[in-house]
Amino acid sequence: MRRHVMKMTAAVLLPSLLLYGCGISKREERAELPDDESNRLIVYNWGEYIDPETIEMFKEETGYDVIYDVFETNEIMYPKVAADPSQYDVICPSDYMIAKMAGEGLLAELDMDDMPQAKKNIGEDYWKMSRDFDPENKYSVPYCWGTVGILYNSKLIDEELDSWESLWDPKYNDDILMQDSVRDLFMVALKKLGYSLNSTDIDELEEAKELLIQQKPLVQAYVVDEVRDKMIAGESAIGVIYSGEAEYTREENEDLVYSIPKEGTNVWIDSWVVTKDSRHKKAAKEWIDFMCRPDIALMNFEYIYYSTPNVGAMELMDEETRANEVLFPDLSKYSGLEAYKYLGKDTDRLYYNLWKEIKSA
Amino acid sequence: MVKTKRIAGFLGLPYIFWAAAFIVIPLIMVVWYGLTDENGGFTFANVAAIANPAHSKALFMALLLSFIATIVCLLLAYPLCMFLVEAQKTSNSFLTMLLIVPMWMNFLLRTYAWQSILEKTGIINTFLTSIGLQPLRLINTNGAIILGMVYNFLPFMILPIYNALDDIDKNVINAARDLGASSRQTLTKVIFPLSLPGVISGITMVFIPALTTFVVSSLLGGGKILLIGNVIEQEFMVAYDWNLGSGLSLVLLIFIVINVIVSVLTERSEEDYAS
């Protein structure tokens, strides 16, 4: 309603601004649009989450003009896509965000028969893991998966860290990096307290908030991608990090050790999805299928070091890589592992408000 | 006469279009979003939300840090400008160039550069430890944010003050000296009052961007210090609550408007004084 009035105002004031008015107009339920004539494909992926060479290969092999854009967190990606879902064709969100976007009708249904490489190469275990957030495996194709854990510098720390407790240890004052995203920050505190990382209980969340406020003076910084560089440079001794990033940092600095805390942690999957309003759906499916080709999946794996769900690619790896416990951990050895679930708008808001209290404390 | 006026009006059209499209309409939208709730009903809650302790603390921190940054800029810029006006006669404005050149570089890059200077393993601390001193905790502090503000916005203080000082008729200064004013009296009674419009516009041009920044605070504050700019940015980008984000922007707008009114009033009284 209000957006309609906004649109009117814009139209009356300056006809040319109508375009902008449309941009913010409410998404209406409507049939999917046919592909437009152009050979463009707009991809929206995490930063540094692909071997750029594979984009070039895709362009060469298919002749599509790929526009590649990146985001830093699911929460930054979502509002941009929600504001105008036709802006992007293929996106690579995480599990809980896929559930949220699918629930809001932002995603197109995919027919796996259109994507033979995906059907053939993605392991059954990962389709099964996906069913936690995409029950019929109809919106998403797994791209990468992993855990969240502690990365520490064994030169600066002379004990083995295997618990979230150490992030509250005063002796590591100014040597701790925490993730600057709502769910990943709360996850650590909730797990330390022995609660579910999908908790919606206000008392548990308040308790987690208090714990994080108490930790704040010890924290060097709340960052996302910089955890990697700061850990490599020895700027900080401990950081909360994604397993794939961890493996990359270990290549650069051999003193770094990754561990999955004993209280449990988040196991996540990032998957390719196609927006419902995409005007380049054919190209989008070709992109996903191309990314599932074993040779391409292997290139990406070797570039970004995130665990791949691509069984075809794993067969191409050497024995040593396949046995790497950071990349391919035996999940049955750990307890308290959970995937994020979408908690609904009100709980999202609650998490966010508590997060603000921590950040301003 | 009439014809030139018409041409002038015509030339102004692109600006009028620009102002309407990118200033007036967005502003109307901010007001609109700020005063409505999710369902489009009128509400004052988004503006009143500034009373939320997290928000008011962020606003207070932003006011405090940008106030300090403005004062530091003024204290650095004024003597420098007096020096530059003098030096310009001899060194052909090379020094002024030196000040402007860094502005050609991207704002973000310059701020990132400060990160690697201030870090624990950064240039300053590496130097300190190499001569046997204890490293200092420089980054992710209020001081780092103030430094970032001063560094990034200092040229906006220098340029208007420089222009104001440069415009002062040397005869006025000579007359003051002739009539027996001491150096200090010339400065406080003649030069400073005449440069006041430059000072005021410098203050405005530093204070407002410093008050609203979220980049400096997130890059040099390590995400540990929340300014009102960060809160607003995150309401739009993370929480996707445009109404609350706009409501808080309106509160910030009040401070900006106060600042502008003060500067306009001071300039006007200066003009009255001059005529």
Side-chain angles (χ1 to χ4, degrees), chain B residues 38 41 48 55 69 76 88 100 103 123 155 163 171 197 214 216 231 236 245 256-257 263:
Chain B
E38 222 180 324
H55 300 158
L76 288 175
Q88 191 208 21
I100 295 173
M103 289 179 75
I123 295 170
N163 284 334
N171 291 327
F214 58 87
V216 175
V231 175
F236 279 95
I256 294 171
V257 167
S263 70

Side-chain angles (χ1 to χ4, degrees), chain A residues 171-215:
Chain A
K171 65 176 183 250
Y172 303 130
N173 181 18
D174 200 25
D175 257 335
I176 297 167
L177 295 173
M178 294 295 283
Q179 285 283 324
D180 195 20
S181 70
V182 184
R183 294 290 298 267
D184 288 334
L185 186 63
F186 271 92
M187 181 275 286
V188 173
L190 288 168
K191 279 292 167 191
K192 178 175 183 279
L193 291 165
Y195 301 139
S196 163
L197 53 77
N198 290 312
S199 175
T200 55
D201 182 303
I202 177 89
D203 295 327
E204 292 180 4
L205 291 172
E206 282 284 344
E207 210 181 321
K209 180 198 84 181
E210 288 304 326
L211 198 61
L212 290 164
I213 290 177
Q214 192 194 320
Q215 181 206 25

Side-chain angles (χ1 to χ4, degrees), chain A residues 175 219 235 345 356 359, chain B residues 38 120-121 222-224 235:
Chain A
D175 257 335
V219 175
E235 174 74 14
K345 214 171 157 208
K356 249 189 323 201
K359 294 294 289 287
Chain B
E38 222 180 324
K120 223 157 80 173
T121 51
K224 292 183 76 179
E235 287 299 335

Side-chain angles (χ1 to χ4, degrees), chain A residues 11-72:
Chain A
V12 171
L13 281 170
L14 272 172
S16 62
L17 271 174
L18 240 165
L19 265 174
Y20 192 18
C22 287
I24 58 161
S25 71
K26 191 110 190 145
R27 195 168 54 252
E28 286 141 27
E29 276 306 316
R30 59 173 178 272
E32 294 182 14
L33 297 162
D35 282 13
D36 68 13
E37 298 294 307
S38 77
N39 66 341
R40 285 210 308 197
L41 176 69
I42 308 159
V43 180
Y44 199 23
N45 193 3
W46 296 82
E48 303 182 54
Y49 211 37
I50 199 166
D51 181 350
E53 184 63 31
T54 61
I55 305 176
E56 291 310 313
M57 286 169 70
F58 178 76
K59 281 191 205 165
E60 241 166 67
E61 288 187 26
T62 60
Y64 287 114
D65 179 16
V66 178
I67 298 162
Y68 191 82
D69 194 6
V70 296
F71 56 87
E72 205 176 29

Side-chain angles (χ1 to χ4, degrees), chain A residues 131-192:
Chain A
R131 286 200 276 276
D132 275 348
F133 55 89
D134 179 9
E136 291 165 61
N137 289 131
K138 66 177 179 185
Y139 293 112
S140 62
V141 176
Y143 176 58
C144 289
W145 69 279
T147 53
V148 181
I150 298 175
L151 185 72
Y152 62 96
N153 190 323
S154 57
K155 249 198 182 141
L156 302 171
I157 287 176
D158 47 18
E159 58 179 330
E160 270 182 40
L161 304 183
D162 66 344
S163 162
W164 295 120
E165 292 283 343
S166 32
L167 298 173
W168 272 261
D169 191 333
K171 65 176 183 250
Y172 303 130
N173 181 18
D174 200 25
D175 257 335
I176 297 167
L177 295 173
M178 294 295 283
Q179 285 283 324
D180 195 20
S181 70
V182 184
R183 294 290 298 267
D184 288 334
L185 186 63
F186 271 92
M187 181 275 286
V188 173
L190 288 168
K191 279 292 167 191
K192 178 175 183 279

